[in-house]
């Protein structure tokens, strides 16, 4: 094979990988965004932590069954147990635990908008911890994406309600999520399968929430009807298993570029809420999508070093 043929082959492989990453990023954003609507549906039937615990138990059990009994992947080592526990506490216990508390005090619009702040935290933490250089294109794409999200969220923010306490808790949950993301990307997993990591971190993170569930549980507020099980099933399988697997794959490729897909989550969230819960979509939504896509294009056009 001559040099020209090799170059064409490498170029074709690179393009194929780029399209694969784009597809995975879009699917991740859609599934992750659907979680807020699914949670809202479930909250009509049960308390927040009841939904969360069932979600984590179902998702974790399925993932561990597949990774250990079907795929025959190895169990984590002693050091990896510590890493998985830290990741589970940050990504499940603190992030989702604080988020569900905050959502009782802030609107869904503000909750969706908060997801868009994660890339800012992730980029800054990556620059400090992973020595990633923040270039002009990164800053430009951040600005375009953030403006797009604000435009899309503007009509909902006009009618939003929130408490200062709720906003602070929401901010804390976003910081926990970003910390978990960076911790995962910098930890040495020694080839441990991502399904194993995801399964155990989901179970361990859920276990740490059991005391909170025990302290807040009120039997009369929980009806295990079809809406409850539909909500929990969607949150457990497409979101906790599907979306998180895609997210970990994106993180392995590039943690900073992966973070930009979070900007699409509020956009998808508005669309899903429109069809599932009759929330309005306006011109601001379409303008926001245009800005976000422009920012994502700039981000994805950057070459990996």
């Amino acid at each position: 094979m001559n040099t020209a043929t090799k170059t064409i082959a490498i170029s074709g492989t690179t393009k194929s990988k780029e399209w694969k990453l784009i597809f995975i990023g879009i699917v991740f954003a859609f599934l992750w965004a659907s979680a807020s609507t699914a949670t809202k549906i479930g909250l009509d039937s049960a308390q927040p932590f009841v939904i969360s615990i069932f979600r984590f138990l179902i998702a974790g059990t399925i993932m561990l069954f597949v990774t250990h009994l079907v795929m025959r992947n190895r169990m984590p080592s002693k050091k990896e147990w510590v890493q998985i526990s830290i990741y589970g506490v940050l990504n499940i216990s603190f992030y989702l635990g604080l988020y569900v508390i905050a959502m009782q005090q802030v609107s869904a619009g503000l909750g969706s908008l908060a997801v868009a702040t994660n890339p800012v935290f992730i980029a800054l933490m990556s620059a400090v911890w992973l020595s990633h250089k923040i270039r002009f294109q990164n800053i430009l794409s951040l600005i375009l994406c953030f403006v797009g999200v604000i435009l899309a969220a503007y009509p909902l923010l006009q009618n939003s309600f929130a408490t200062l306490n709720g906003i602070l808790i929401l901010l804390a949950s976003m910081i926990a999520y970003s910390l978990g993301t960076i911790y995962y990307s910098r930890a040495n997993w020694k080839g441990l399968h991502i399904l194993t990591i995801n399964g155990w971190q989901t179970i361990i993170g859920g276990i740490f929430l059991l005391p909170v569930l025990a302290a807040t549980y009120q039997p009369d507020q929980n009806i295990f009807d079809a809406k409850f099980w539909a909500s929990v099933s969607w949150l457990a399988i497409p979101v906790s298993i599907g979306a998180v697997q895609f997210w970990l794959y994106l993180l392995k490729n590039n943690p900073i570029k992966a973070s930009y897909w979070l900007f699409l989550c509020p956009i998808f969230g508005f669309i899903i809420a429109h069809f599932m819960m009759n929330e309005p979509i306006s011109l601001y939504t379409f303008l926001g999508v245009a800005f976000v896509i422009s920012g994502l294009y700039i981000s994805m056009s950057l070459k990996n070093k």
Side-chain angles (χ1 to χ4, degrees):
M1 185 180 292
N2 57 39
T3 303
T5 305
K6 287 182 179 180
T7 302
I8 294 173
I10 293 172
S11 176
T13 302
T14 302
K15 287 292 183 182
S16 177
K17 183 179 180 181
E18 288 178 356
W19 281 110
K20 180 181 178 181
L21 288 172
I22 291 172
F23 174 77
I24 290 175
I26 292 173
V27 174
F28 157 74
F30 175 82
L31 292 177
W32 199 245
S34 69
S36 59
T37 298
T39 301
K40 288 290 186 182
I41 293 173
L43 286 172
D44 289 336
S45 301
Q47 291 179 278
F49 284 109
V50 173
I51 296 172
S52 297
I53 295 298
F54 272 91
R55 167 189 178 180
F56 301 146
L57 178 63
I58 293 172
T61 301
I62 292 174
M63 285 186 282
L64 294 180
F65 174 82
V66 173
T67 191
H68 292 309
L69 297 181
V70 177
M71 301 176 66
R72 301 293 182 182
N73 291 320
R74 67 175 178 86
M75 293 288 288
S77 65
K78 182 177 180 180
K79 182 180 179 180
E80 289 165 346
W81 279 119
V82 176
Q83 292 178 173
I84 289 173
S85 297
I86 294 173
Y87 182 48
V89 168
L90 289 172
N91 195 52
I92 299 295
S93 305
F94 279 106
Y95 165 54
L96 293 177
L98 290 172
Y99 187 83
V100 76
I101 294 173
M103 290 306 295
Q104 296 175 324
Q105 301 182 46
V106 301
S107 68
L110 286 176
S112 297
L113 182 62
V115 177
T117 65
N118 281 315
V120 178
F121 291 114
I122 292 172
L124 294 176
M125 292 175 187
S126 293
V128 175
W129 289 2
L130 305 180
S131 300
H132 286 165
K133 183 180 179 180
I134 300 179
R135 296 189 286 179
F136 171 75
Q137 291 95 327
N138 293 121
I139 297 174
L140 178 60
S141 57
L142 274 170
I143 293 173
L144 287 173
C145 289
F146 197 70
V147 169
V149 170
I150 292 176
L151 282 172
Y154 178 71
L156 297 179
L157 290 174
Q158 287 183 307
N159 299 318
S160 293
F161 64 93
T163 66
L164 177 60
N165 188 47
I167 293 174
L168 292 176
I169 295 173
L170 192 62
L171 177 61
S173 73
M174 296 303 110
I175 294 175
Y177 182 76
S178 300
L179 284 172
T181 297
I182 296 301
Y183 179 81
Y184 171 83
S185 65
R186 72 191 295 261
N188 182 8
W189 297 103
K190 297 180 180 179
L192 187 65
H193 198 278
I194 58 175
L195 194 61
T196 303
I197 299 170
N198 192 15
W200 284 112
Q201 69 106 9
T202 300
I203 291 291
I204 292 173
I207 290 174
F208 278 100
L209 286 178
L210 285 176
V212 182
L213 172 63
T216 60
Y217 184 72
Q218 298 181 28
D220 60 326
Q221 294 187 18
N222 299 281
I223 304 172
F224 300 98
D225 55 7
K227 291 177 65 175
F228 170 82
W229 289 112
S231 170
V232 168
S233 297
W234 182 266
L235 290 170
I237 300 174
V239 178
S240 289
I241 297 177
V244 175
Q245 288 302 115
F246 288 142
W247 175 240
L248 297 183
Y249 179 87
L250 292 168
L251 283 179
K252 275 195 170 184
N253 181 70
N254 188 303
I256 291 183
K257 286 188 176 183
S259 68
Y260 285 87
W261 291 108
L262 294 172
F263 280 113
L264 273 182
C265 292
I267 308 301
F268 277 129
F270 301 144
I271 295 173
I272 295 169
H274 171 72
F275 287 103
M276 297 295 295
M277 307 182 73
N278 295 319
E279 291 191 6
I281 291 181
S282 65
L283 177 61
Y284 288 98
T285 308
F286 292 104
L287 289 174
V289 170
F291 272 87
V292 170
I293 291 176
S294 299
L296 286 172
Y297 177 80
I298 293 173
S299 171
M300 295 301 293
S301 66
L302 295 175
K303 297 295 183 181
N304 285 327
K305 288 189 177 181

